[in-house]
Amino acid sequence: MTAYIRRAAALSLVLLVALLANAARVQVLQADRLDGNPANRRTVLSRYAEPRGDILVEGRPVTGSKDTGQLLRYERTYTDGPLYAPVTGHASQTYGTTLVEDAEDAVLSGTSPRLSPLPPWSGLAPGRRPGGRVATTIRSALQQAAYRGLAGRRGAVVALEPSSGRVLALVSSPSYDPGVLSGTGSEVATAWARLNTAPDRPMLNRALRETYPPGSTFKIVTAAAALDARVVTDVHAPTGTPDPYPLPGTRTLLPNEANGCADASLAYAIRWSCNTVLARLGVEVGQSRLLRTARAFGFNDPDLRIPSRVARSHIDTDMSPDRLALSAIGQYDTRATPLQMAMVASAVAGDGELARPYLVESTATAGGGLVGRTPRRTYARAMEPSTARRLRELMVDVVERGSGSNAGIEGAEVGGKTGTAQHGMGNQGTPYAWFIGWARAAGAARPAVAVAVVVEDAAARREEISGGGSAAPIARSVMEAALVPDRGP
């Protein structure tokens, strides 16, 4: 009898060990796979069982949560949704998250271990805490000025604080209301299909995710390379450039839209945007030095985040001399995001030092306890301080006596560069209008803002499009807003 008891006990022990081993396998080894299984509704139900944390602009929430009483209880809501959509993105129960909603999802959804007052290894911290808060660097006055200026036209505006890298405005137009995608059901699916098939592509973040030929605004990069390399030592000296300029190795003649570009100085060429002078200087600078300068400004960087992903701005790394000449004036296959061109203006305004741009100022718990703060970091030394000072003088001249007069602000120092970028088959597409610039209040030690504006303006007549005419007035309104003292929330 005792032998039977021992055998039964041994069998029970084996079964118990097998049960424990299986439980460990399921709860430890397979936990992540089971959590991620689409059939597992617990994670989804838990995610929407509590309100999502808010995204803040100047201390005020521009997002919220609505109790639907449904199985997926809380839906995301947005205040001034189209105005801030290029910043917030959407948080949809059906289609996921984008932009800041995505980059800071762990904080906003309450899953980040940083939100707990207890260390994650203590075993006492709950798995999900109330959603935290994300404070952005956006200033509402600048955001509204940019949004009003574009007035629904296709384009984008980015404004940066040169000294810190803070993103002060980030607008893409036309925009959309992310709230229509928040929930589930046929209405959300219809809205998703409508937005994704709209000809103007309102869900495309043109400020961060679209690249354009930068046209003449890229001439600031070429001029920086020429000054740093001492190819130009006197910006007022004639350059000996013919008008038109024969592209090296070809019979193609590069013309100018402006008059007086023959043998023009660099100062005159920047003031009136002479293609010939900057194209020739690009060839003289050479591919390696031009590429080195462009990379210092941010071109060809595939890893730029603010914290949302930014599309890679591009300049070719293997060019024949004629293509190098075209690239030096922002044509050929050179492309840039509006954020990238705002970085160019910011580096000039910042004495050649480019601060890394960022959009999230800080994160906090639901109760306001600080979780993290984004520090100021240097992205690169884009040019020598003396070069930056000289370029600021040339850009001020553009606004005061040249093609950028529409950006002038009474009582402030404003520097800028206009651009009209050709594109399309045979350059027959409607040109893009560009303006990049910066502004410094009277008596201020340094510029308060750097801005980039691009307007696609497909409805305008070709001859009416120019950076000075279409984009500069928008930049002026944004810079004016930036020069008003920031009084906080």
Side-chain angles (χ1 to χ4, degrees):
M1 188 71 177
T2 304
Y4 290 114
I5 295 175
R6 283 200 300 268
R7 291 172 186 168
L11 178 61
S12 299
L13 181 60
V14 169
L15 294 175
L16 179 60
V17 170
L19 181 63
L20 292 174
N22 185 62
R25 179 180 63 85
V26 171
Q27 296 182 17
V28 178
L29 300 179
Q30 296 183 345
D32 291 340
R33 184 171 63 83
L34 294 173
D35 281 343
N37 192 312
N40 182 9
R41 299 282 289 169
R42 289 179 178 270
T43 302
V44 177
L45 294 176
S46 174
R47 178 180 178 85
Y48 299 108
E50 299 292 338
R52 189 171 173 83
D54 282 326
I55 299 173
L56 311 178
V57 171
E58 294 185 314
R60 301 182 183 94
V62 295
T63 60
S65 294
K66 176 177 68 175
D67 188 349
T68 65
Q70 303 298 315
L71 198 60
L72 302 181
R73 184 169 175 180
Y74 285 94
E75 286 182 9
R76 194 55 146 169
T77 61
Y78 295 88
T79 303
D80 293 324
L83 175 63
Y84 293 110
V87 176
T88 63
H90 64 255
S92 170
Q93 294 176 347
T94 305
Y95 299 108
T97 55
T98 59
L99 300 175
V100 170
E101 292 275 30
D102 181 64
E104 298 292 345
D105 180 66
V107 170
L108 295 167
S109 65
T111 58
S112 173
R114 296 183 299 159
L115 296 173
S116 174
L118 299 173
W121 58 85
S122 67
L124 300 176
R128 184 179 294 271
R129 291 149 290 279
R133 301 176 182 177
V134 174
T136 70
T137 57
I138 295 294
R139 285 181 56 186
S140 60
L142 278 69
Q143 188 80 359
Q144 292 175 39
Y147 187 78
R148 287 194 303 266
L150 286 169
R153 290 176 291 174
R154 290 189 303 211
V157 179
V158 178
L160 302 175
E161 185 177 62
S163 61
S164 66
R166 291 185 179 93
V167 179
L168 304 179
L170 186 73
V171 171
S172 175
S173 177
S175 189
Y176 73 105
D177 182 1
V180 301
L181 302 177
S182 291
T184 59
S186 59
E187 290 185 3
V188 172
T190 300
W192 176 263
R194 172 177 54 81
L195 291 171
N196 277 282
T197 57
D200 287 342
R201 300 188 295 169
M203 292 183 68
L204 171 64
N205 190 320
R206 289 173 163 87
L208 301 179
R209 304 284 172 81
E210 181 71 304
T211 59
Y212 301 87
S216 293
T217 59
F218 189 82
K219 292 172 182 175
I220 296 299
V221 177
T222 303
L227 289 166
D228 271 358
R230 307 296 189 267
V231 170
V232 174
T233 56
D234 181 356
V235 298
H236 300 291
T239 59
T241 308
D243 181 12
Y245 169 64
L247 293 178
T250 75
R251 296 181 179 179
T252 303
L253 297 177
L254 180 67
N256 290 295
E257 296 288 340
N259 296 319
C261 292
D263 196 27
S265 66
L266 177 59
Y268 187 93
I270 293 293
R271 183 192 308 155
W272 294 111
S273 208
C274 297
N275 290 332
T276 52
V277 173
L278 274 300
R280 181 171 179 267
L281 285 178
V283 174
E284 289 189 29
V285 166
Q287 177 176 283
S288 62
R289 286 188 295 197
L290 183 60
L291 286 175
R292 185 165 59 247
T293 300
R295 286 179 179 130
F297 278 106
F299 282 84
N300 291 348
D301 182 355
D303 300 318
L304 185 61
R305 303 285 189 275
I306 65 166
S308 305
R309 181 183 64 82
V310 181
R312 176 180 178 268
S313 296
H314 173 78
I315 180 171
D316 205 352
T317 58
D318 186 12
M319 295 175 279
S320 59
D322 59 315
R323 291 175 175 178
L324 176 60
L326 292 175
S327 295
I329 60 172
Q331 296 291 347
Y332 183 48
D333 63 351
T334 304
R335 299 186 67 86
T337 63
L339 174 67
Q340 171 62 77
M341 297 316 296
M343 291 167 67
V344 170
S346 183
V348 175
D351 274 335
E353 182 187 11
L354 177 59
R356 183 175 291 275
Y358 64 96
L359 182 58
V360 171
E361 186 75 65
S362 62
T363 54
T365 65
L370 184 66
V371 172
R373 184 178 296 277
T374 305
R376 183 211 183 277
R377 292 185 294 165
T378 297
Y379 180 85
R381 166 61 66 180
M383 71 196 93
E384 295 179 6
S386 60
T387 295
R389 288 192 293 270
R390 186 56 55 85
L391 285 177
R392 284 203 300 275
E393 294 171 3
L394 298 184
M395 292 177 76
V396 168
D397 190 49
V398 169
V399 174
E400 293 185 350
R401 297 199 295 159
S403 60
S405 59
N406 283 335
I409 300 172
E410 186 176 355
E413 182 182 57
V414 178
K417 182 70 190 78
T418 59
T420 305
Q422 309 293 329
H423 72 103
M425 184 67 68
N427 286 336
Q428 293 305 303
T430 304
Y432 299 133
W434 277 96
F435 184 87
I436 64 172
W438 49 268
R440 181 177 67 90
R446 56 193 178 189
V449 64
V451 64
V453 179
V454 63
V455 182
E456 297 181 28
D457 207 355
R461 289 189 302 168
R462 189 181 173 90
E463 60 270 20
E464 293 177 344
I465 295 177
S466 70
S470 299
I474 301 172
R476 180 185 63 227
S477 64
V478 174
M479 291 188 291
E480 284 177 329
L483 297 180
V484 175
D486 186 3
R487 296 181 175 85

